[in-house]
């Protein structure tokens, strides 16, 4: 199945909008945020910052406005303010981490934001010297580094 067919299938199954696919680079951040089952204010603040930078990046790359504030708010309502299905997140994650899923220089930005989200909220204090980032978050980060083929 080619990428276009994947998009069409996901659009039909999950009622995705065309603008949603411009927000694919946010998927790893959203996955990181939801790993503990909650969207905490500190995590959302970091996600919102990435959204603003992403919109500016997309507009600059295209030389015109590609995404509106309404597009972003709609996407955030469905992905950040309500937990999306794991199947949808997995399908979108697979698209993002494919070779052509995200431009190479954006991969490091995504990874850095994921690190920030993972460190944004500690569930219980005090924590051990290596417990600032939860085990499942560390595992996700290691997987993402491998999928993005980041070696620097």
């Amino acid at each position: 199945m080619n990428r276009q067919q994947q998009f069409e299938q996901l659009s039909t199954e999950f009622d995705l909008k065309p603008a949603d696919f411009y927000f694919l680079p946010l998927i790893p951040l959203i996955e990181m945020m939801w790993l503990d089952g909650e969207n905490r204010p500190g995590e959302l603040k970091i996600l919102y910052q990435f959204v603003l930078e992403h919109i500016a990046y997309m507009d600059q790359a295209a030389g015109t406005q590609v995404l509106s504030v309404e597009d972003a708010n709609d996407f955030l309502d469905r992905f950040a303010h309500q937990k999306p299905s794991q199947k949808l997140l997995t399908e979108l994650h697979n698209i993002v981490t494919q070779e052509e899923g995200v431009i190479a220089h954006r991969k490091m930005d995504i990874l850095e934001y994921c690190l920030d989200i993972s460190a944004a909220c500690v569930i219980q204090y005090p924590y051990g010297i290596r417990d600032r980032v939860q085990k499942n978050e560390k595992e996700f980060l290691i997987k993402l580094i491998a999928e993005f083929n980041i070696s620097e």
Side-chain angles (χ1 to χ4, degrees):
M1 180 180 327
N2 68 33
R3 193 170 185 179
Q4 182 62 33
Q5 290 170 322
Q6 281 180 297
F7 288 161
E8 289 172 9
Q9 179 183 352
L10 291 172
S11 293
T12 301
E13 186 174 350
F14 295 102
D15 195 29
L16 298 178
K17 299 171 181 171
D20 292 341
F21 294 100
Y22 288 106
F23 291 107
L24 284 179
L26 277 73
I27 295 302
L29 284 71
I30 289 166
E31 289 178 289
M32 177 62 73
M33 181 184 69
W34 284 114
L35 276 174
D36 66 359
E38 297 184 43
N39 60 352
R40 301 176 191 283
E43 296 167 323
L44 287 168
K45 185 175 180 182
I46 294 166
L47 180 65
Y48 296 159
Q49 180 63 40
F50 186 88
V51 169
L52 294 174
E53 290 178 14
H54 181 67
I55 290 171
Y57 172 81
M58 293 297 295
D59 289 351
Q60 182 182 18
T64 187
Q65 183 180 1
V66 175
L67 298 167
S68 69
V69 172
E70 292 79 21
D71 293 331
N73 287 336
D74 182 60
F75 183 86
L76 290 170
D77 283 344
R78 290 178 292 117
F79 285 83
H81 301 149
Q82 300 175 45
K83 186 174 182 185
S85 78
Q86 189 57 52
K87 181 180 179 194
L88 175 58
L89 286 176
T90 299
E91 293 286 337
L92 294 176
H93 177 95
N94 291 337
I95 293 170
V96 170
T97 56
Q98 291 173 1
E99 186 66 31
E100 69 279 356
V102 176
I103 298 171
H105 70 273
R106 294 291 287 159
K107 291 178 181 179
M108 189 57 82
D109 292 337
I110 293 167
L111 181 62
E112 288 177 5
Y113 269 88
C114 283
L115 284 165
D116 292 336
I117 288 172
S118 71
C121 298
V122 174
I123 295 177
Q124 185 176 3
Y125 187 84
Y127 47 86
I129 194 167
R130 297 199 60 227
D131 296 333
R132 173 76 175 147
V133 175
Q134 295 177 26
K135 184 178 188 229
N136 61 342
E137 292 173 335
K138 287 178 187 178
E139 290 168 354
F140 179 80
L141 288 167
I142 291 166
K143 177 183 167 204
L144 192 60
I145 289 168
E147 291 171 333
F148 276 174
N149 196 25
I150 295 175
S151 60
E152 308 173 348

